[in-house]
């Protein structure tokens, strides 16, 4: 139980206290910031989801590695960047026996695609949901989205950046 021993001990204690049907875990095996990284993130993720199976928790919410950007050329000759989600979670999704949730830069189209293909059960939308409090309605209508302002994510203001994004008219 070398990988994630503490995390698994916490999961076990929480499951024992409130029941597995009320427990979910978010894992970021590909994290590589603030001196937090693993030399073999795929092995870490696989080990953790396999270990979590024994607790029969409700869900495992996993973060994709950071997106890569690929240049593409428009027919008019303009170049832009298209984000490409690395999709490194499938081996972990195949092993985990509960509900699997992926997050990490998905938009409406890509989110629907990965669910339809069986890559994940559900898709989470963090920053996009923050900037669009009515995101399900916008997705339903295929409406334009508000852009989030990263500069307001960690400021102490209780209103600016969290509750000031506009709803659809």
């Amino acid at each position: 139980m070398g990988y994630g021993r503490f995390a698994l001990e916490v999961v076990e204690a929480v499951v024992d206290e409130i029941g597995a049907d009320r427990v979910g875990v978010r894992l970021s095996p590909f994290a590589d910031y603030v001196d937090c990284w693993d030399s073999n993130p795929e092995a870490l993720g696989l080990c953790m989801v396999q270990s979590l199976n024994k607790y029969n928790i409700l869900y495992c919410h996993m973060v994709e590695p950071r997106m890569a950007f690929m240049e593409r050329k428009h027919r008019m000759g303009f170049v832009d960047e298209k984000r490409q989600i690395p999709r490194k979670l499938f081996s972990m999704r195949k092993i985990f026996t509960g509900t699997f949730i992926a997050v990490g830069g998905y938009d409406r189209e890509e989110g629907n695609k990965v669910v339809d293909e069986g890559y994940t059960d559900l898709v989470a939308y963090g920053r996009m949901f923050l900037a669009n409090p009515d995101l399900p309605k916008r997705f339903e209508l295929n409406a334009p989205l508000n852009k989030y302002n990263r500069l307001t994510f960690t400021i102490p203001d209780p209103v600016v950046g969290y509750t000031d994004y506009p709803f659809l008219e």
Side-chain angles (χ1 to χ4, degrees):
M1 178 150 74
Y3 277 132
R5 179 177 168 189
F6 177 71
L8 295 171
E9 288 175 359
V10 170
V11 168
E12 183 173 6
V14 174
V15 165
D16 287 347
E17 186 66 29
I18 66 171
D21 61 328
R22 298 178 71 196
V23 177
V25 172
R26 178 176 162 128
L27 299 174
S28 302
F30 297 97
D32 63 355
Y33 51 90
V34 193
D35 290 332
C36 177
W37 60 274
D38 190 85
S39 61
N40 192 343
E42 289 188 54
L44 172 62
L46 288 167
C47 178
M48 288 300 295
V49 294
Q50 182 69 47
S51 298
L52 288 171
N53 281 337
K54 93 175 200 185
Y55 301 104
N56 295 314
I57 62 173
L58 183 59
Y59 68 84
C60 181
H61 179 191
M62 293 196 77
V63 182
E64 293 277 9
R66 289 285 179 196
M67 292 180 286
F69 288 90
M70 298 177 54
E71 280 192 343
R72 62 180 185 167
K73 199 169 192 169
H74 290 287
R75 59 185 166 81
M76 301 290 290
F78 301 106
V79 175
D80 71 353
E81 290 184 323
K82 174 158 175 51
R83 54 187 188 74
Q84 181 178 0
I85 300 167
R87 286 204 187 183
K88 297 259 186 178
L89 303 178
F90 191 60
S91 59
M92 294 158 225
R93 188 264 192 268
K94 287 192 308 189
I95 289 174
F96 187 67
T97 56
T99 299
F100 194 86
I101 305 169
V103 68
Y106 291 99
D107 59 16
R108 178 183 181 270
E109 180 183 341
E110 185 71 12
N112 285 331
K113 182 178 178 183
V114 294
V115 170
D116 290 344
E117 292 175 352
Y119 178 79
T120 188
D121 295 312
L122 299 168
V123 173
Y125 298 92
R127 295 178 199 113
M128 195 182 297
F129 223 129
L130 177 65
N132 297 276
D134 53 357
L135 188 64
K137 186 70 168 173
R138 289 175 188 255
F139 276 4
E140 177 186 340
L141 300 173
N142 203 13
L145 301 175
N146 299 321
K147 294 198 183 310
Y148 59 82
N149 180 356
R150 185 181 295 277
L151 297 175
T152 63
F153 285 177
T154 57
I155 63 174
D157 192 308
V159 176
V160 174
Y162 286 94
T163 61
D164 62 339
Y165 288 101
F167 286 79
L168 283 173
E169 295 294 319

